[in-house]
Amino acid sequence: MKNLLVVLTVFLASCGNRGSYKNPTLKPLIEAVYASGFVVSKNEYQVFAQVEGYVTEIVASEGTEVKKGDVIFVIESQQQNARYRMAKESYDMARGNYQNGSPVLNELEAAIRSATTKLQFDSVNLVRFTNLLKQNATTRSEYDRIGLVYENSKNDLLLQQSRYHKVKNQLFLELKNAENQLKIASEESGRYSVRSEVDGRVYKTLKEKGELARRNEAVAILGSKDSFYMQLSVDEMDIRKVKEGQEVWVKIDAFADQTFHATVSKVHPLVDSRQQSLRVDADFTEPLVRGFSGLAVEANIVIQKREKTIVIPKSALLPGDSVLIQTASGNQKVKIKKGIETLDEVEVLEGLNTENTFMVK
C-alpha cells in the first residue's frame, strides 16, 4: 500500500508539470515580413500600335537586344498609303504652282507686262495730245478721252499687280497647308514602323506576321536587358511595418542554390481589394546575371534584427505575456516584456535572463 501511494504521488506530480524545462537562448534574431512576387525588368512597358494595319515584318523577335529608336514591327495599311499619296500629290502641285515660272504665275505676269506696255503707250499718247492741245491741233474732248484711257491703263496695271500678289499669297498658303498635310501623313506613315523607346530587350511579341494590329493595341513587351527589380505582394496586415530602405532577402526558384539581397525602393499606396495586399517594389543590390523577367520569387523583408538577444520559444508564453519559471520554492509565473517576434520565437527584453529555467509546453 505504501509503494502504491508513492507511485500515485509521482504520477500526479508529472501530470501537474506537463512539459519540459529550458534556459533562454542568447542568439541573433530577425523579424521579417513575408512577400511573394515576380522579377521585372526595369523600364518594362507595353508597345502599342498607333495605327491600324497588318504586320508585314517582325524586325526584332523575342530576346533581341534593341536600341532606342530601333524598328520592332512594320505595319502596313492600304488606306494610309493612299492618304499619304494624295497628300504628296497635293504638296507637289502646290509647290509647283508657287514656284517662279509656274503656269498660274506666268499668266498673271503676262497680264502685268501687257498692262505695263499699254500704260507706257497711253502715257506717250497723252503727252503727244497734251502738246497738240497747246498748239490747238486737237479738241479738248479728244484730249480728255486720251487722258481717260491713260487713267484706265494705270488702274488696270495696279489691278493686275494686286491680283498677282493676291494669287501668290494664296498659293503660298496652299503650299503651307499641303506641306502640313504631308507632314501629318508622313508622321502617321512613320507610326507604321513600331519602334523601341528604350535601350533594352524584346521580352515578348504579341503579334505574328500577317496578323491585324488595331490602333492602341499592345504588340510587344520591352524592358532593360540587364537591370531588374521585384514587384512584391505584401499582406495589408503587415504593410504598416514596411518602409523604403529596408533590407530584403530573396529566393528565386530558378536559382535555388542562391540567396539574393535587395532593398525596398517603393511602397505603393493603393491596396489590391481582391488580394487584400499591397504592392512593394525592391531593387536588387547585386546584378541578376542572365536575368529573366517574370521569374517567381519569395522574399523576407527585414523589419528588425538583433545581433545577440535573449530568445525563448513562443510555446513557452502564457496568456498575459508571462512564462512559468522554476524556482527553489516551485514554479512561479513571471511577466515578461516582448521584443521581436517570429513564427516560432520571441525576444525577451525584460523579465528573464539566461540563468532562468522556464517551462515549455
Side-chain angles (χ1 to χ4, degrees):
M1 188 69 179
K2 183 177 181 181
N3 291 336
L4 179 61
L5 182 60
V6 171
V7 172
L8 183 59
T9 303
V10 172
F11 175 75
L12 292 174
S14 63
C15 290
N17 296 309
R18 289 177 182 176
S20 59
Y21 288 90
K22 293 184 178 180
N23 294 101
T25 306
L26 199 60
K27 58 182 286 188
L29 189 64
I30 295 174
E31 180 186 7
V33 166
Y34 173 80
S36 61
F38 299 92
V39 173
V40 181
S41 65
K42 284 201 170 181
N43 301 319
E44 185 170 305
Y45 74 103
Q46 288 185 323
V47 183
F48 293 89
Q50 297 300 308
V51 289
E52 182 171 317
Y54 289 93
V55 177
T56 58
E57 186 178 359
I58 300 176
V59 180
S61 56
E62 292 180 358
T64 303
E65 293 184 9
V66 292
K67 295 290 185 182
K68 183 177 181 179
D70 285 355
V71 177
I72 305 166
F73 285 94
V74 176
I75 301 175
E76 286 190 3
S77 168
Q78 293 300 322
Q79 180 182 1
Q80 179 57 28
N81 290 339
R83 187 181 295 119
Y84 175 79
R85 286 196 300 271
M86 290 178 61
K88 183 69 166 60
E89 289 172 0
S90 297
Y91 171 74
D92 290 340
M93 182 180 293
R95 185 178 62 176
N97 288 337
Y98 184 71
Q99 286 179 340
N100 291 330
S102 70
V104 177
L105 294 181
N106 276 345
E107 182 179 344
L108 294 173
E109 288 170 353
I112 290 174
R113 287 194 299 270
S114 177
T116 301
T117 300
K118 188 174 186 309
L119 178 63
Q120 290 173 346
F121 174 80
D122 291 340
S123 176
V124 171
N125 204 26
L126 179 62
V127 171
R128 185 167 65 86
F129 269 81
T130 300
N131 293 330
L132 289 175
L133 183 64
K134 289 179 180 180
Q135 298 171 6
N136 293 320
T138 186
T139 63
R140 184 73 188 184
S141 61
E142 186 66 14
Y143 169 80
D144 291 341
R145 185 183 69 80
I146 295 299
L148 182 61
V149 170
Y150 169 77
E151 290 297 327
N152 288 339
S153 295
K154 186 167 65 172
N155 290 334
D156 184 56
L157 176 61
L158 292 175
L159 176 64
Q160 296 301 332
Q161 289 174 335
S162 174
R163 182 178 299 167
Y164 174 85
H165 291 300
K166 180 180 178 180
V167 170
K168 190 156 189 180
N169 288 338
Q170 182 178 348
L171 292 176
F172 176 76
L173 292 176
E174 290 177 357
L175 175 61
K176 286 300 179 183
N177 183 57
E179 187 177 354
N180 290 334
Q181 293 301 319
L182 178 61
K183 183 178 179 182
I184 293 171
S186 298
E187 289 176 352
E188 289 182 349
S189 296
R191 290 175 188 168
Y192 281 74
S193 295
V194 181
R195 300 176 184 273
S196 172
E197 295 296 328
V198 297
D199 293 344
R201 175 183 295 148
V202 179
Y203 282 95
K204 189 173 182 61
T205 54
L206 304 175
K207 289 292 179 182
E208 298 293 335
K209 187 174 180 179
E211 276 194 88
L212 175 66
R214 300 188 182 278
R215 186 186 294 270
N216 296 325
E217 184 179 14
V219 295
I221 299 175
L222 274 71
S224 173
K225 65 183 178 67
D226 52 15
S227 184
F228 299 87
Y229 73 103
M230 289 174 295
Q231 291 183 3
L232 302 174
S233 179
V234 176
D235 189 280
E236 64 178 358
M237 299 298 292
D238 295 322
I239 199 59
R240 59 188 175 83
K241 302 176 184 178
V242 179
K243 58 185 178 181
E244 294 180 9
Q246 289 174 327
E247 184 181 2
V248 185
W249 296 353
V250 184
K251 292 295 291 184
I252 303 177
D253 291 342
F255 304 94
D257 58 339
Q258 292 180 257
T259 298
F260 297 90
H261 295 86
T263 304
V264 174
S265 57
K266 184 174 183 179
V267 179
H268 291 259
L270 181 64
V271 174
D272 185 337
S273 57
R274 294 171 300 176
Q275 302 293 331
Q276 293 299 299
S277 63
L278 207 69
R279 174 179 158 184
V280 173
D281 294 347
D283 291 333
F284 287 99
T285 56
E286 66 270 354
L288 187 61
V289 180
R290 295 188 70 247
F292 297 88
S293 185
L295 291 174
V297 302
E298 290 186 315
N300 283 298
I301 303 172
V302 178
I303 307 304
Q304 298 183 73
K305 59 181 177 180
R306 304 278 191 268
E307 297 300 329
K308 189 178 290 188
T309 190
I310 296 176
V311 177
I312 63 172
K314 271 193 170 179
S315 58
L317 278 177
L318 299 175
D321 293 339
S322 59
V323 295
L324 202 61
I325 65 171
Q326 193 176 47
T327 66
S329 58
N331 292 338
Q332 180 181 349
K333 186 183 289 188
V334 176
K335 187 173 179 62
I336 66 165
K337 181 179 179 181
K338 297 188 300 183
I340 295 175
E341 290 187 61
T342 68
L343 290 176
D344 303 314
E345 297 177 313
V346 61
E347 178 188 20
V348 178
L349 298 177
E350 296 177 5
L352 288 180
N353 57 51
T354 54
E355 301 299 323
N356 295 130
T357 302
F358 60 89
M359 178 184 286
V360 181
K361 293 180 182 179

